[in-house]
Amino acid sequence: MTQELQTTATASLRVALEAIRAAIQDAWADTCVQMDEYKFQPAVVHTAFGQYLAHNVLNKVFQIETAGMVSQFVPNRRGSAFHVKVVIEDRLFLTISAVENPESPPRPARFRNDYAEGLQSWFEVTAQDEFRLAIPTKSTAEYIQILHGPSGLRGQKRQELGFIYVAFPHWGGGNRRPSIPLDSYIAEWSLGDPTEIEYISEEEGLGVTLKKEALNADK
């Protein structure tokens, strides 16, 4: 029975990640349509696209309804801005950021540092626009950042989605492992919990070794 529950949770997690990928893709497409519909001048589009995109991504991800996934609008400490925090099966929680390229870290923010350091309790905003203490994520849950950005060299094609990656921030700074495409991360969950995968450093020869626990996780 325990193994069946773990398999079901893993399947739900994959479905949730796929839904988030689709939401980001839809947000990019919708933002392009909005720029045309509103007939913004090129100089206005230069700054408006990123702002509309950020809100479209937040809104579409928050609207996802799938088993095992909970989304929360979380305010910053001053209450002047919000981000969306997604918790999946209490095994994974994530935030989403637009960046210039897959190697670019999100802009500095206190909440991202807090999450990486394991400070996961905060306030959420209810449907009645009230602040409420959020239910803390389990301390064993892994924090990741989903990064998306434009196509072309240095993001030259600013209105074309070029990538969706996953970053793995370390509480002491930097990353626990190299960032990878979201599709590759979803594929890892098909093999089992990615935390059971051993990552070889570049000095040793970049690659991965799947531990027996991971290979057998869904059997």
Short mmCIF file of all heavy atoms in Angstrom, two decimals, residues 124-172:
data_model
loop_
_atom_site.label_atom_id
_atom_site.label_comp_id
_atom_site.label_asym_id
_atom_site.label_seq_id
_atom_site.Cartn_x
_atom_site.Cartn_y
_atom_site.Cartn_z
N GLU A 124 -0.05 34.11 3.31
CA GLU A 124 -0.66 34.01 2.00
C GLU A 124 -1.84 34.97 1.95
O GLU A 124 -2.27 35.51 2.97
CB GLU A 124 -1.13 32.59 1.72
CG GLU A 124 -2.21 32.10 2.66
CD GLU A 124 -2.66 30.69 2.35
OE1 GLU A 124 -2.47 30.26 1.21
OE2 GLU A 124 -3.21 30.04 3.24
N VAL A 125 -2.37 35.19 0.75
CA VAL A 125 -3.50 36.09 0.56
C VAL A 125 -4.72 35.26 0.22
O VAL A 125 -4.70 34.47 -0.73
CB VAL A 125 -3.22 37.11 -0.55
CG1 VAL A 125 -4.40 38.05 -0.73
CG2 VAL A 125 -1.97 37.90 -0.23
N THR A 126 -5.80 35.43 0.98
CA THR A 126 -7.02 34.66 0.75
C THR A 126 -7.83 35.28 -0.38
O THR A 126 -7.51 36.36 -0.89
CB THR A 126 -7.88 34.62 2.02
OG1 THR A 126 -8.39 35.95 2.28
CG2 THR A 126 -7.06 34.16 3.22
N ALA A 127 -8.90 34.59 -0.77
CA ALA A 127 -9.79 35.10 -1.82
C ALA A 127 -10.44 36.41 -1.41
O ALA A 127 -10.91 37.18 -2.25
CB ALA A 127 -10.85 34.06 -2.16
N GLN A 128 -10.49 36.67 -0.11
CA GLN A 128 -11.07 37.92 0.41
C GLN A 128 -10.02 39.00 0.63
O GLN A 128 -10.23 39.99 1.34
CB GLN A 128 -11.80 37.65 1.75
CG GLN A 128 -13.04 36.79 1.63
CD GLN A 128 -12.73 35.33 1.36
OE1 GLN A 128 -11.75 34.79 1.90
NE2 GLN A 128 -13.53 34.68 0.53
N ASP A 129 -8.82 38.79 0.02
CA ASP A 129 -7.71 39.73 0.14
C ASP A 129 -7.27 39.93 1.59
O ASP A 129 -6.85 41.03 1.99
CB ASP A 129 -8.07 41.10 -0.48
CG ASP A 129 -8.20 41.02 -1.99
OD1 ASP A 129 -7.49 40.18 -2.59
OD2 ASP A 129 -9.00 41.77 -2.56
N GLU A 130 -7.36 38.88 2.37
CA GLU A 130 -6.90 38.93 3.75
C GLU A 130 -5.57 38.18 3.88
O GLU A 130 -5.33 37.19 3.18
CB GLU A 130 -7.94 38.30 4.68
CG GLU A 130 -9.27 39.03 4.69
CD GLU A 130 -10.31 38.30 5.53
OE1 GLU A 130 -10.10 37.10 5.81
OE2 GLU A 130 -11.32 38.92 5.90
N PHE A 131 -4.73 38.65 4.78
CA PHE A 131 -3.46 37.98 5.04
C PHE A 131 -3.68 36.87 6.06
O PHE A 131 -4.32 37.07 7.09
CB PHE A 131 -2.43 38.98 5.57
CG PHE A 131 -1.90 39.91 4.51
CD1 PHE A 131 -2.69 40.92 3.99
CD2 PHE A 131 -0.62 39.75 4.02
CE1 PHE A 131 -2.21 41.78 3.01
CE2 PHE A 131 -0.13 40.60 3.05
CZ PHE A 131 -0.92 41.62 2.53
N ARG A 132 -3.13 35.69 5.75
CA ARG A 132 -3.30 34.54 6.63
C ARG A 132 -1.99 33.77 6.69
O ARG A 132 -1.31 33.61 5.67
CB ARG A 132 -4.42 33.64 6.12
CG ARG A 132 -4.66 32.40 6.97
CD ARG A 132 -5.85 31.61 6.42
NE ARG A 132 -5.57 31.10 5.09
CZ ARG A 132 -6.49 30.55 4.29
NH1 ARG A 132 -7.75 30.49 4.69
NH2 ARG A 132 -6.16 30.11 3.09
N LEU A 133 -1.63 33.32 7.89
CA LEU A 133 -0.40 32.55 8.03
C LEU A 133 -0.51 31.27 7.20
O LEU A 133 -1.46 30.50 7.35
CB LEU A 133 -0.16 32.19 9.49
CG LEU A 133 1.16 31.46 9.79
CD1 LEU A 133 2.34 32.36 9.47
CD2 LEU A 133 1.20 31.03 11.25
N ALA A 134 0.42 31.07 6.30
CA ALA A 134 0.38 29.91 5.43
C ALA A 134 0.81 28.66 6.19
O ALA A 134 1.61 28.72 7.12
CB ALA A 134 1.31 30.12 4.23
N ILE A 135 0.23 27.53 5.78
CA ILE A 135 0.63 26.26 6.38
C ILE A 135 2.07 25.97 5.95
O ILE A 135 2.39 25.98 4.76
CB ILE A 135 -0.29 25.12 5.91
CG1 ILE A 135 -1.72 25.40 6.34
CG2 ILE A 135 0.19 23.78 6.44
CD1 ILE A 135 -2.72 24.41 5.80
N PRO A 136 2.98 25.74 6.89
CA PRO A 136 4.38 25.53 6.51
C PRO A 136 4.56 24.27 5.68
O PRO A 136 3.89 23.27 5.88
CB PRO A 136 5.10 25.43 7.86
CG PRO A 136 4.03 25.09 8.85
CD PRO A 136 2.77 25.67 8.33
N THR A 137 5.47 24.36 4.72
CA THR A 137 5.82 23.20 3.92
C THR A 137 6.67 22.26 4.76
O THR A 137 7.45 22.69 5.60
CB THR A 137 6.62 23.64 2.68
OG1 THR A 137 5.92 24.71 2.04
CG2 THR A 137 6.81 22.51 1.71
N LYS A 138 6.53 20.97 4.53
CA LYS A 138 7.33 20.01 5.29
C LYS A 138 8.82 20.29 5.10
O LYS A 138 9.26 20.63 4.00
CB LYS A 138 7.01 18.59 4.84
CG LYS A 138 5.66 18.09 5.32
CD LYS A 138 5.47 16.62 4.97
CE LYS A 138 4.13 16.10 5.51
NZ LYS A 138 3.93 14.67 5.17
N SER A 139 9.58 20.14 6.16
CA SER A 139 11.01 20.44 6.12
C SER A 139 11.75 19.53 5.15
O SER A 139 12.85 19.86 4.70
CB SER A 139 11.61 20.31 7.51
OG SER A 139 11.43 19.00 8.03
N THR A 140 11.16 18.39 4.81
CA THR A 140 11.81 17.46 3.89
C THR A 140 11.54 17.79 2.43
O THR A 140 12.14 17.18 1.53
CB THR A 140 11.35 16.01 4.16
OG1 THR A 140 9.91 15.97 4.10
CG2 THR A 140 11.80 15.55 5.53
N ALA A 141 10.65 18.73 2.16
CA ALA A 141 10.32 19.09 0.79
C ALA A 141 11.50 19.78 0.12
O ALA A 141 12.22 20.57 0.74
CB ALA A 141 9.10 19.99 0.75
N GLU A 142 11.70 19.50 -1.15
CA GLU A 142 12.80 20.10 -1.91
C GLU A 142 12.33 21.40 -2.55
O GLU A 142 11.23 21.47 -3.10
CB GLU A 142 13.28 19.14 -2.98
CG GLU A 142 14.43 19.70 -3.81
CD GLU A 142 14.83 18.80 -4.97
OE1 GLU A 142 13.98 18.01 -5.44
OE2 GLU A 142 15.99 18.90 -5.40
N TYR A 143 13.17 22.44 -2.48
CA TYR A 143 12.86 23.71 -3.12
C TYR A 143 13.59 23.82 -4.45
O TYR A 143 14.80 23.60 -4.54
CB TYR A 143 13.28 24.88 -2.21
CG TYR A 143 13.16 26.24 -2.88
CD1 TYR A 143 11.98 26.64 -3.50
CD2 TYR A 143 14.24 27.13 -2.89
CE1 TYR A 143 11.87 27.87 -4.11
CE2 TYR A 143 14.14 28.37 -3.49
CZ TYR A 143 12.96 28.74 -4.10
OH TYR A 143 12.84 29.97 -4.71
N ILE A 144 12.83 24.13 -5.50
CA ILE A 144 13.42 24.38 -6.81
C ILE A 144 12.88 25.69 -7.36
O ILE A 144 11.87 26.22 -6.88
CB ILE A 144 13.10 23.24 -7.82
CG1 ILE A 144 11.60 23.14 -8.07
CG2 ILE A 144 13.68 21.91 -7.33
CD1 ILE A 144 11.22 22.20 -9.21
N GLN A 145 13.58 26.22 -8.36
CA GLN A 145 13.12 27.42 -9.05
C GLN A 145 12.91 27.08 -10.51
O GLN A 145 13.80 26.50 -11.15
CB GLN A 145 14.16 28.53 -8.92
CG GLN A 145 14.39 29.01 -7.50
CD GLN A 145 15.60 29.91 -7.38
OE1 GLN A 145 16.43 29.99 -8.28
NE2 GLN A 145 15.72 30.60 -6.24
N ILE A 146 11.73 27.38 -11.04
CA ILE A 146 11.48 27.20 -12.46
C ILE A 146 11.79 28.53 -13.15
O ILE A 146 11.21 29.57 -12.81
CB ILE A 146 10.04 26.75 -12.72
CG1 ILE A 146 9.84 25.34 -12.15
CG2 ILE A 146 9.73 26.77 -14.22
CD1 ILE A 146 8.50 24.72 -12.46
N LEU A 147 12.71 28.48 -14.10
CA LEU A 147 13.18 29.66 -14.81
C LEU A 147 12.73 29.59 -16.27
O LEU A 147 12.86 28.56 -16.92
CB LEU A 147 14.70 29.74 -14.74
CG LEU A 147 15.34 29.57 -13.36
CD1 LEU A 147 16.86 29.62 -13.48
CD2 LEU A 147 14.85 30.65 -12.39
N HIS A 148 12.22 30.69 -16.78
CA HIS A 148 11.83 30.75 -18.18
C HIS A 148 12.33 32.04 -18.78
O HIS A 148 12.52 33.05 -18.08
CB HIS A 148 10.30 30.64 -18.32
CG HIS A 148 9.54 31.73 -17.64
ND1 HIS A 148 9.08 32.85 -18.29
CD2 HIS A 148 9.17 31.87 -16.34
CE1 HIS A 148 8.45 33.63 -17.44
NE2 HIS A 148 8.48 33.06 -16.24
N GLY A 149 12.57 32.01 -20.08
CA GLY A 149 13.11 33.21 -20.70
C GLY A 149 13.05 33.17 -22.22
O GLY A 149 12.58 32.21 -22.82
N PRO A 150 13.55 34.24 -22.84
CA PRO A 150 13.40 34.43 -24.29
C PRO A 150 14.38 33.61 -25.12
O PRO A 150 15.34 33.04 -24.62
CB PRO A 150 13.67 35.93 -24.45
CG PRO A 150 14.64 36.24 -23.35
CD PRO A 150 14.21 35.39 -22.19
N SER A 151 14.09 33.59 -26.39
CA SER A 151 14.91 32.86 -27.36
C SER A 151 15.97 33.79 -27.94
O SER A 151 15.93 35.00 -27.78
CB SER A 151 14.02 32.31 -28.48
OG SER A 151 14.76 31.60 -29.42
N GLY A 152 16.92 33.19 -28.64
CA GLY A 152 17.95 33.97 -29.30
C GLY A 152 19.13 34.27 -28.41
O GLY A 152 19.06 34.16 -27.18
N LEU A 153 20.23 34.67 -29.00
CA LEU A 153 21.43 35.00 -28.27
C LEU A 153 21.18 36.18 -27.34
O LEU A 153 20.73 37.24 -27.77
CB LEU A 153 22.57 35.35 -29.25
CG LEU A 153 23.93 35.68 -28.63
CD1 LEU A 153 24.49 34.47 -27.89
CD2 LEU A 153 24.90 36.16 -29.70
N ARG A 154 21.43 35.95 -26.05
CA ARG A 154 21.21 36.98 -25.02
C ARG A 154 19.78 37.51 -25.06
O ARG A 154 19.54 38.70 -24.84
CB ARG A 154 22.22 38.12 -25.17
CG ARG A 154 23.66 37.70 -24.93
CD ARG A 154 24.61 38.88 -25.00
NE ARG A 154 25.98 38.47 -24.74
CZ ARG A 154 27.02 39.30 -24.75
NH1 ARG A 154 26.84 40.59 -25.01
NH2 ARG A 154 28.24 38.84 -24.49
N GLY A 155 18.85 36.63 -25.35
CA GLY A 155 17.45 37.02 -25.32
C GLY A 155 17.04 38.02 -26.36
O GLY A 155 16.15 38.84 -26.14
N GLN A 156 17.67 37.97 -27.55
CA GLN A 156 17.36 38.96 -28.58
C GLN A 156 15.91 38.85 -29.07
O GLN A 156 15.30 39.84 -29.44
CB GLN A 156 18.34 38.80 -29.75
CG GLN A 156 19.76 39.23 -29.40
CD GLN A 156 20.73 38.99 -30.54
OE1 GLN A 156 20.43 38.24 -31.46
NE2 GLN A 156 21.88 39.62 -30.49
N LYS A 157 15.38 37.63 -29.09
CA LYS A 157 13.98 37.45 -29.49
C LYS A 157 13.13 37.51 -28.22
O LYS A 157 12.70 36.50 -27.68
CB LYS A 157 13.80 36.13 -30.23
CG LYS A 157 14.62 36.04 -31.51
CD LYS A 157 14.42 34.70 -32.21
CE LYS A 157 15.25 34.62 -33.48
NZ LYS A 157 15.11 33.31 -34.17
N ARG A 158 12.90 38.71 -27.75
CA ARG A 158 12.36 38.92 -26.42
C ARG A 158 10.93 38.43 -26.26
O ARG A 158 10.48 38.19 -25.14
CB ARG A 158 12.43 40.40 -26.05
CG ARG A 158 13.85 40.95 -26.00
CD ARG A 158 13.88 42.32 -25.41
NE ARG A 158 13.31 42.34 -24.07
CZ ARG A 158 13.17 43.45 -23.35
NH1 ARG A 158 13.54 44.61 -23.85
NH2 ARG A 158 12.64 43.40 -22.16
N GLN A 159 10.18 38.31 -27.36
CA GLN A 159 8.79 37.89 -27.26
C GLN A 159 8.59 36.44 -27.66
O GLN A 159 7.46 36.01 -27.89
CB GLN A 159 7.91 38.80 -28.11
CG GLN A 159 7.92 40.25 -27.63
CD GLN A 159 6.96 41.12 -28.41
OE1 GLN A 159 5.82 40.74 -28.65
NE2 GLN A 159 7.40 42.29 -28.80
N GLU A 160 9.67 35.68 -27.73
CA GLU A 160 9.59 34.27 -28.10
C GLU A 160 10.15 33.41 -26.97
O GLU A 160 11.30 33.60 -26.57
CB GLU A 160 10.37 34.03 -29.39
CG GLU A 160 10.38 32.59 -29.86
CD GLU A 160 11.18 32.42 -31.14
OE1 GLU A 160 10.96 33.22 -32.08
OE2 GLU A 160 12.03 31.51 -31.20
N LEU A 161 9.35 32.50 -26.45
CA LEU A 161 9.81 31.63 -25.37
C LEU A 161 10.95 30.75 -25.87
O LEU A 161 10.81 30.05 -26.86
CB LEU A 161 8.66 30.77 -24.86
CG LEU A 161 9.00 29.72 -23.80
CD1 LEU A 161 9.56 30.37 -22.54
CD2 LEU A 161 7.77 28.89 -23.46
N GLY A 162 12.07 30.80 -25.16
CA GLY A 162 13.22 30.03 -25.58
C GLY A 162 13.55 28.84 -24.71
O GLY A 162 14.13 27.86 -25.17
N PHE A 163 13.17 28.90 -23.43
CA PHE A 163 13.53 27.81 -22.53
C PHE A 163 12.67 27.83 -21.27
O PHE A 163 12.15 28.88 -20.88
CB PHE A 163 15.01 27.90 -22.12
CG PHE A 163 15.35 29.17 -21.38
CD1 PHE A 163 15.21 29.24 -20.00
CD2 PHE A 163 15.78 30.29 -22.06
CE1 PHE A 163 15.51 30.42 -19.31
CE2 PHE A 163 16.08 31.48 -21.38
CZ PHE A 163 15.95 31.53 -20.00
N ILE A 164 12.53 26.67 -20.67
CA ILE A 164 11.99 26.53 -19.32
C ILE A 164 12.92 25.57 -18.59
O ILE A 164 13.02 24.40 -18.97
CB ILE A 164 10.54 25.98 -19.31
CG1 ILE A 164 9.63 26.84 -20.18
CG2 ILE A 164 10.00 25.93 -17.88
CD1 ILE A 164 8.20 26.31 -20.28
N TYR A 165 13.62 26.06 -17.60
CA TYR A 165 14.63 25.29 -16.89
C TYR A 165 14.26 25.15 -15.41
O TYR A 165 13.40 25.87 -14.90
CB TYR A 165 15.99 25.97 -17.00
CG TYR A 165 16.88 25.43 -18.10
CD1 TYR A 165 16.45 25.43 -19.43
CD2 TYR A 165 18.14 24.90 -17.84
CE1 TYR A 165 17.25 24.94 -20.44
CE2 TYR A 165 18.95 24.39 -18.84
CZ TYR A 165 18.51 24.42 -20.15
OH TYR A 165 19.29 23.91 -21.14
N VAL A 166 14.95 24.25 -14.75
CA VAL A 166 14.82 24.08 -13.31
C VAL A 166 16.18 24.34 -12.67
O VAL A 166 17.19 23.78 -13.09
CB VAL A 166 14.36 22.65 -12.94
CG1 VAL A 166 14.29 22.48 -11.42
CG2 VAL A 166 13.00 22.36 -13.56
N ALA A 167 16.19 25.21 -11.66
CA ALA A 167 17.41 25.50 -10.89
C ALA A 167 17.23 24.96 -9.48
O ALA A 167 16.11 24.88 -8.97
CB ALA A 167 17.69 27.00 -10.86
N PHE A 168 18.36 24.60 -8.86
CA PHE A 168 18.34 23.95 -7.56
C PHE A 168 19.19 24.75 -6.56
O PHE A 168 20.35 24.41 -6.30
CB PHE A 168 18.89 22.52 -7.68
CG PHE A 168 18.23 21.72 -8.76
CD1 PHE A 168 18.70 21.76 -10.08
CD2 PHE A 168 17.13 20.92 -8.48
CE1 PHE A 168 18.09 21.02 -11.09
CE2 PHE A 168 16.51 20.18 -9.49
CZ PHE A 168 16.99 20.24 -10.78
N PRO A 169 18.62 25.84 -6.03
CA PRO A 169 19.41 26.72 -5.15
C PRO A 169 19.86 26.03 -3.87
O PRO A 169 19.14 25.22 -3.30
CB PRO A 169 18.44 27.88 -4.85
CG PRO A 169 17.09 27.28 -5.05
CD PRO A 169 17.23 26.29 -6.15
N HIS A 170 21.07 26.37 -3.46
CA HIS A 170 21.64 25.84 -2.22
C HIS A 170 21.49 26.87 -1.12
O HIS A 170 21.61 28.08 -1.37
CB HIS A 170 23.12 25.50 -2.44
CG HIS A 170 23.75 24.78 -1.29
ND1 HIS A 170 24.34 25.43 -0.22
CD2 HIS A 170 23.89 23.45 -1.04
CE1 HIS A 170 24.80 24.54 0.63
NE2 HIS A 170 24.55 23.33 0.16
N TRP A 171 21.25 26.41 0.09
CA TRP A 171 21.02 27.36 1.19
C TRP A 171 22.23 28.24 1.46
O TRP A 171 22.09 29.38 1.93
CB TRP A 171 20.66 26.59 2.47
CG TRP A 171 21.77 25.72 3.00
CD1 TRP A 171 22.00 24.41 2.69
CD2 TRP A 171 22.81 26.11 3.90
NE1 TRP A 171 23.11 23.95 3.34
CE2 TRP A 171 23.63 24.97 4.11
CE3 TRP A 171 23.13 27.29 4.56
CZ2 TRP A 171 24.75 25.00 4.92
CZ3 TRP A 171 24.24 27.33 5.39
CH2 TRP A 171 25.04 26.18 5.56
N GLY A 172 23.42 27.79 1.12
CA GLY A 172 24.62 28.59 1.36
C GLY A 172 25.01 29.45 0.18
O GLY A 172 26.05 30.10 0.19
#
